[in-house]
Amino acid sequence: MAATTTTDASPKYRAPTDFHPEIPELSVSENPHDGLHFWQFMVAGSIAGSIEHMAMFPVDTLKTRMQAIVGSGSYPVQNVNVRQACKSIMKNEGAAGFYRGIGAMGLGAGPAHAVYFSVYELCKQYFSRGDPNNSVAHAVSGVCATVASDAVFTPMDVVKQRLQLKSSPYKGVVDCVRRVLVEEGIGAFYASYKTTVVMNAPFTAVHFATYEAAKRGLIEVSPDIADDERLVVHATAGAAAGALAAIVTTPLDVVKTQLQCQGVCGCDRFSSSSIGNVIKIIVKKDGYQGLMRGWIPRMLFHAPAAAICWSTYEASKDFFHRLNGNPDN
């Protein structure tokens, strides 16, 4: 009975043939994503997400500091830039200040990315209908993946951002979780969930569609690098996708940061979690430029982060392909 379950695991994952008989044929051509068990996609995604966020965490701290200044009265909008934010952290907190909240990131990034990539692979296989160049399928799959992963990551993202704030009142991850639960209730962990999904849905759609298109374009322009320098292709395509998606969705990221940090360290507390309400308040205080606060560190984060994430993810999948006896996938 156990042997039968093991033998049937891969075909079940690739989708029943009575629904989409053409899908299993993808495993021998351009689509390198077949031939892996569901848990292997999860492990590959978890490794990729953890490495990506840990490596780029200092840049994420800069972004959070720049975006969360509204309402604190610390310094005017025009005086806040990447260099000044970086200098302030080094002067007042030292290098360790860049890593406050990294524990929360570690706890959230692994599981969230495991969900993210596994759902993406499942949806991509279902929606592509046998067409590996279907950009719409890639975008829709990315949206489905982000809705699922954000439900896992949002609570830890709230903890992370509150710990990243200047003069954060929390001693660490456990203290932050405990105090938020006692003082604000469990709803505080999901106050920004709707905004996060609204932000990450277009972010992920742009990201995945750009990534797949850029990867395909690079392989077509230089077919030789598809095998010899595969990681370079994934890294380059990932960086382009991350940078473009980051810039496009920065206004919503500012709203998300405001909602997650509200009432802490002088940040505004909002009477409503409505995206429109928060945008209206930001524009009233800072003008429309306030909605682009932190776009430079956000782009500097997501371009290399996406390159790291995709190259690590693909390398992990290659490892599992070899482990499964499919070295050519």
Side-chain angles (χ1 to χ4, degrees), residues 259-275:
L259 287 171
Q260 291 183 337
C261 298
Q262 59 181 316
V264 183
C265 298
C267 293
D268 286 340
R269 181 171 289 283
F270 302 97
S271 58
S272 169
S273 297
S274 163
I275 296 174

Side-chain angles (χ1 to χ4, degrees), residues 51-264:
I51 292 176
E52 165 200 357
H53 284 287
M54 296 298 183
M56 300 305 300
F57 195 81
V59 182
D60 185 62
T61 298
L62 283 173
K63 177 195 73 81
T64 299
R65 292 286 180 94
M66 293 176 68
Q67 290 182 339
I69 285 172
V70 176
S72 68
S74 298
Y75 25 122
V77 176
Q78 62 269 26
N79 288 340
V80 182
N81 57 42
V82 176
R83 188 175 70 174
Q84 289 175 327
C86 183
K87 184 178 179 180
S88 175
I89 294 175
M90 285 298 297
K91 180 180 178 180
N92 299 317
E93 304 164 61
F98 289 102
Y99 292 93
R100 274 187 60 83
I102 197 170
M105 176 63 79
L107 291 172
H113 278 74
V115 172
Y116 187 86
F117 280 105
S118 56
V119 171
Y120 173 69
E121 295 290 356
L122 283 170
C123 292
K124 176 183 172 182
Q125 191 170 47
Y126 178 81
F127 290 117
S128 65
R129 296 293 199 276
D131 179 9
N133 299 327
N134 190 335
S135 295
V136 174
H138 300 153
V140 172
S141 299
V143 172
C144 293
T146 197
V147 171
S149 65
D150 283 344
V152 176
F153 185 64
T154 296
M156 281 296 103
D157 193 35
V158 171
V159 175
K160 171 195 75 76
Q161 290 207 304
R162 292 192 176 204
L163 289 171
Q164 286 176 318
L165 294 176
K166 182 179 181 181
S167 303
S168 174
Y170 307 107
K171 298 177 182 178
V173 175
V174 176
D175 180 56
C176 183
V177 171
R178 180 183 61 80
R179 289 180 57 180
V180 171
L181 281 174
V182 172
E183 298 169 9
E184 304 173 53
I186 193 169
F189 289 112
Y190 284 96
S192 66
Y193 178 65
K194 181 173 67 175
T195 304
T196 301
V197 171
V198 171
M199 174 189 73
N200 282 340
F203 177 93
T204 309
V206 172
H207 184 107
F208 276 107
T210 303
Y211 170 74
E212 296 286 355
K215 182 176 69 172
R216 188 167 63 251
L218 288 170
I219 291 175
E220 289 175 355
V221 171
S222 303
D224 293 338
I225 67 173
D227 295 321
D228 299 337
E229 301 176 35
R230 182 177 295 178
L231 289 182
V232 175
V233 172
H234 294 308
T236 303
L244 179 60
I247 294 173
V248 170
T249 58
T250 292
L252 287 170
D253 189 54
V254 173
V255 173
K256 181 196 74 138
T257 299
Q258 290 291 307
L259 287 171
Q260 291 183 337
C261 298
Q262 59 181 316
V264 183

